[in-house]
Amino acid sequence: MAEEDYGCFVDWTQMGDLANSSGPSKLDVKDPVELKKLARQGHWAKNHKLRAQVYQQLIKAIPCRTVTPDAEVYRDLMGDSTGKKASSVIPLPDFVDGSAVPHYCLKADAVTTVHRVISCLAGQFPDISHCPALPAITALLLHFSADEAQCFENISRLLACNEPGRRLVDQTFLAYESSCMTFGDLANKYCPAAHKLIVATAQDVVEVYSGWQRWVLGDLPFSHVARVLDVFLVEGYKVLYRVALALLKFYRKQKAGAGAGAQPSEGQKQDSAEVKAEIQAFVKAIGSSITPDKLLEKAFSIRLFSRKEITLLQLANEKSLQQKGITVKQKRRNVQLALNPDTFSSEVVSAKEMRDIWSWIPERFALCEPQLLFTTSTHGCSLNRFYAHVEGYEPTLLLIRTCEADVCGAFLSTDWEERKRGGNKLSFFGTGECFVFRLKPEMERYEWVVIRHPELASSIKAQSSEDPAEDEAPADGQSSDYNSLPVERPAADPSNRLSPFLSARHFHLNSRNTSMFMAGNIDSIIVGGGEGNALYIDGELNHGRTARCTTFDNPPLCSTESFQVALLEVWGFQDAMASDR
């Protein structure tokens, strides 16, 4: 067999059509853009030997630490594999967090080899503290290695990658947990229907999303995960997010097709472990309905922002976990418990409605509980008192009940004190994490328009090598009206900001109207701008207006465009794991 050098661990009887090599037998492409195109097309997917050779080429090109263990180190330490102890005597290290070795069409004794390789990796990389994906990655690369020493070297290079900004394998609990939070943020923004299903059916959404990496690296059939690996080695970590989001979309479609569209009531939600098991079962059986090419097509049809933006979100989530002292594995607090219905009290929304709003907020605030900062029923209808009570808190949640019983509000990413940077000049600030919503007469959220229409902006970083080129939309030629106010530039150093993700400064926006998030002075507060305001509240916190605005592309949030405020509340996000401020 031509592939014998790279298939000694493979059980060819399980490989199906992949056992019969076809297509090209060599690859001379060096250009990254062309290589990316070929990887997505599956250029080497039907030839096992070529695939193995391409993997060796790609992995050898990874920049690594000066001292990175190689195949010779493995041979010196482990010697000949003959007669070595069985895997039951060489347990996997604790840092894999109970992840088993996927069989991936390997011979039965190849699982023993995976245990040996990981055992040696644990000794050579003592800094690894949490790496649940390692068994799956090792089993995959063993498929395409001439011997276990070569597999060890390939994995070592992935772990030792030191290219700035390039991420391949999570090796700490902090990195892994922040990736779960980041996936939750992405699902919330780019898979709203699927996210809504998970929120409606699972008791703990965060617990469900904690298994996102396992869906891709562990649960997917070999034919599918090998195609993912083709692209991952070329484009990096972002591919895992894309594929997991695609799986979540397919899962929702399957549930809808099975007649599971009716959402359970609050008391009928499933245990989160049951929902996780359902998704895992769906992913494991995906081969019967969805081909590998169809999965990747769906994954790359999702219009994500650039790698830079996702990196900023990842860093923000890591910073949030560090501030809460969560850097090692521990039992995570159920997010639903952050809002205790027995103690929560609002004159605007019920506990259930507040939990629904909580499902929309960025994941890094998942361990926070609502803290009432200001209410007109206690503090009076004074904008000065409003600012005095809410300044110093970031983010905040604005809730309004009108005299017509409409309920609406906004999630505001930035401290209201930021308004002072423009003096008394009404200037907009904030980030694209802001959104507006209405709860009554019906519930709906309206995010930054650029999230739904990425063509309105392009990343400042010249066309990313991992995203298809996108044409810029024509500039907004409409003249400015009284809402087109100057946009206050944020501080130059993004590291000091709590919400760096979706900051307007990272995008070429074709109109300032698309980044008017929040503004305030002594006369009014405004949320959303451009052609109108999503919310305008006067200086006495008594009268307001709502209209469509360019920033959120929302309809009026109330039944009438002008309304009288019956009650206004502002809530902060208190760390549930720390003492009161």
Side-chain angles (χ1 to χ4, degrees):
M1 181 179 290
E3 293 79 17
E4 186 174 3
D5 287 345
Y6 294 103
C8 58
F9 299 103
V10 179
D11 183 349
W12 294 99
T13 63
Q14 299 182 43
M15 291 285 284
D17 293 340
L18 293 177
N20 304 313
S21 292
S22 60
S25 58
K26 66 177 183 177
L27 181 74
D28 297 324
V29 176
K30 301 292 184 182
D31 178 61
V33 175
E34 183 65 19
L35 201 59
K36 169 184 167 181
K37 178 181 176 182
L38 294 177
R40 292 191 181 188
Q41 292 175 346
H43 182 76
W44 50 80
K46 294 183 179 180
N47 188 312
H48 190 274
K49 183 177 181 179
L50 177 61
R51 200 177 218 166
Q53 292 171 340
V54 172
Y55 285 2
Q56 305 305 318
Q57 172 187 328
L58 293 172
I59 292 173
K60 284 186 180 299
I62 294 173
C64 295
R65 299 195 292 258
T66 303
V67 180
T68 298
D70 58 12
E72 290 304 315
V73 169
Y74 184 85
R75 294 186 183 101
D76 289 344
L77 292 171
M78 306 300 285
D80 188 356
S81 62
T82 306
K84 292 294 179 181
K85 295 179 181 179
S87 61
S88 58
V89 186
I90 309 177
L92 293 174
D94 290 340
F95 64 64
V96 305
D97 196 32
S99 296
V101 176
H103 285 263
Y104 287 151
C105 306
L106 293 170
K107 295 176 181 177
D109 57 357
V111 175
T112 303
T113 303
V114 174
H115 280 245
R116 283 168 47 80
V117 171
I118 293 178
S119 175
C120 191
L121 288 167
Q124 293 299 301
F125 291 87
D127 292 339
I128 297 179
S129 58
H130 194 81
C131 192
L134 194 57
I137 295 174
T138 305
L140 273 174
L141 288 181
L142 189 63
H143 244 275
F144 305 99
S145 300
D147 55 37
E148 58 189 80
Q150 186 182 74
C151 177
F152 169 84
E153 179 174 326
N154 288 337
I155 300 293
S156 293
R157 294 191 68 82
L158 294 181
L159 295 172
C161 173
N162 65 354
E163 181 179 343
R166 187 174 185 182
R167 177 178 182 168
L168 292 173
V169 184
D170 292 333
Q171 300 173 47
T172 66
F173 182 73
L174 181 64
Y176 176 82
E177 188 75 350
S178 64
S179 79
C180 296
M181 296 169 67
T182 300
F183 177 77
D185 284 321
L186 297 175
N188 191 359
K189 292 184 181 299
Y190 301 108
C191 306
H195 178 69
K196 187 175 181 180
L197 173 67
I198 301 301
V199 170
T201 55
Q203 294 176 349
D204 186 349
V205 178
V206 175
E207 176 63 22
V208 174
Y209 288 157
S210 69
W212 79 274
Q213 277 193 27
R214 167 91 186 235
W215 304 344
V216 182
L217 298 171
D219 294 332
L220 272 179
F222 173 75
S223 58
H224 291 64
V225 74
R227 287 289 287 113
V228 174
L229 188 62
D230 291 342
V231 188
F232 170 77
L233 290 177
V234 176
E235 301 189 43
Y237 195 92
K238 185 179 175 182
V239 171
L240 303 182
Y241 282 132
R242 285 188 173 278
V243 173
L245 290 171
L247 291 171
L248 193 61
K249 282 177 172 281
F250 280 125
Y251 170 74
R252 187 207 69 85
K253 185 176 180 180
Q254 184 251 7
K255 294 288 284 186
Q263 296 182 357
S265 63
E266 188 71 16
Q268 296 176 325
K269 288 189 176 184
Q270 290 177 261
D271 181 78
S272 302
E274 293 179 7
V275 178
K276 284 180 70 174
E278 278 189 9
I279 297 177
Q280 282 187 266
F282 167 76
V283 174
K284 288 178 179 178
I286 200 170
S288 62
S289 57
I290 298 165
T291 64
D293 287 340
K294 187 176 180 181
L295 175 62
L296 288 185
E297 180 183 354
K298 173 68 76 173
F300 288 103
S301 70
I302 301 171
R303 300 284 294 278
L304 292 181
F305 287 115
S306 69
R307 180 192 303 173
K308 177 181 179 181
E309 284 302 304
I310 291 183
T311 299
L312 285 171
L313 178 57
Q314 184 87 21
L315 292 173
N317 285 331
E318 286 189 9
K319 180 179 179 181
S320 175
L321 290 169
Q322 288 173 325
Q323 289 173 340
K324 294 177 174 65
I326 304 175
T327 57
V328 297
K329 184 172 173 59
Q330 54 190 270
K331 184 174 178 59
R332 176 141 190 179
R333 179 189 176 116
N334 187 314
V335 175
Q336 301 292 347
L337 297 181
L339 194 154
N340 187 338
D342 296 329
T343 58
F344 174 75
S345 177
S346 167
E347 297 179 77
V348 179
V349 297
S350 66
K352 182 183 183 305
E353 288 170 332
M354 191 61 133
R355 275 201 294 269
D356 289 334
I357 296 171
W358 234 238
S359 72
W360 293 335
I361 67 174
E363 284 287 323
R364 62 185 177 278
F365 306 114
L367 291 180
C368 296
E369 57 188 19
Q371 176 186 9
L372 184 61
L373 304 177
F374 175 86
T375 172
T376 51
S377 67
T378 300
H379 302 111
C381 297
S382 164
L383 192 52
N384 284 334
R385 284 197 290 272
F386 170 93
Y387 289 135
H389 282 83
V390 303
E391 285 177 3
Y393 292 86
E394 181 180 284
T396 53
L397 185 69
L398 175 69
L399 298 177
I400 298 169
R401 176 163 56 84
T402 72
C403 291
E404 291 78 27
D406 295 323
V407 175
C408 60
F411 173 82
L412 303 169
S413 65
T414 306
D415 189 343
W416 277 104
E417 194 166 15
E418 187 78 7
R419 79 189 191 284
K420 296 177 180 177
R421 293 172 60 86
N424 195 40
K425 181 180 175 183
L426 197 60
S427 299
F428 280 91
F429 54 96
T431 75
E433 286 188 323
C434 295
F435 60 83
V436 295
F437 58 88
R438 61 183 178 192
L439 298 181
K440 296 174 183 178
E442 65 269 340
M443 180 180 295
E444 194 65 55
R445 170 184 55 160
Y446 303 96
E447 297 179 287
W448 185 25
V449 66
V450 176
I451 292 176
R452 300 194 301 279
H453 301 285
E455 66 274 9
L456 295 177
S458 58
S459 176
I460 282 178
K461 187 177 180 180
Q463 295 182 353
S464 169
S465 63
E466 63 175 349
D467 285 329
E470 296 174 4
D471 296 330
E472 287 193 16
D476 187 346
Q478 295 184 343
S479 60
S480 299
D481 57 20
Y482 73 96
N483 288 310
S484 300
L485 305 170
V487 180
E488 178 69 16
R489 294 296 176 190
D493 182 6
S495 64
N496 294 326
R497 302 193 59 80
L498 185 61
S499 304
F501 184 54
L502 303 185
S503 185
R505 69 182 178 278
H506 297 306
F507 296 90
H508 288 308
L509 297 176
N510 300 298
S511 169
R512 288 189 304 187
N513 292 357
T514 60
S515 61
M516 294 180 170
F517 302 115
M518 52 192 291
N521 61 8
I522 60 174
D523 299 317
S524 64
I525 56 174
I526 291 175
V527 180
E531 301 180 14
N533 302 126
L535 285 170
Y536 168 93
I537 307 295
D538 68 10
E540 296 179 350
L541 305 183
N542 190 23
H543 291 90
R545 298 194 303 268
T546 177
R548 180 195 172 275
C549 77
T550 305
T551 298
F552 300 112
D553 192 24
N554 58 284
L557 302 177
C558 301
S559 54
T560 59
E561 292 196 3
S562 295
F563 58 84
Q564 185 170 354
V565 177
L567 197 67
L568 183 148
E569 294 178 346
V570 179
W571 293 80
F573 293 77
Q574 182 180 13
D575 186 354
M577 304 181 68
S579 57
D580 293 342
R581 286 179 66 158

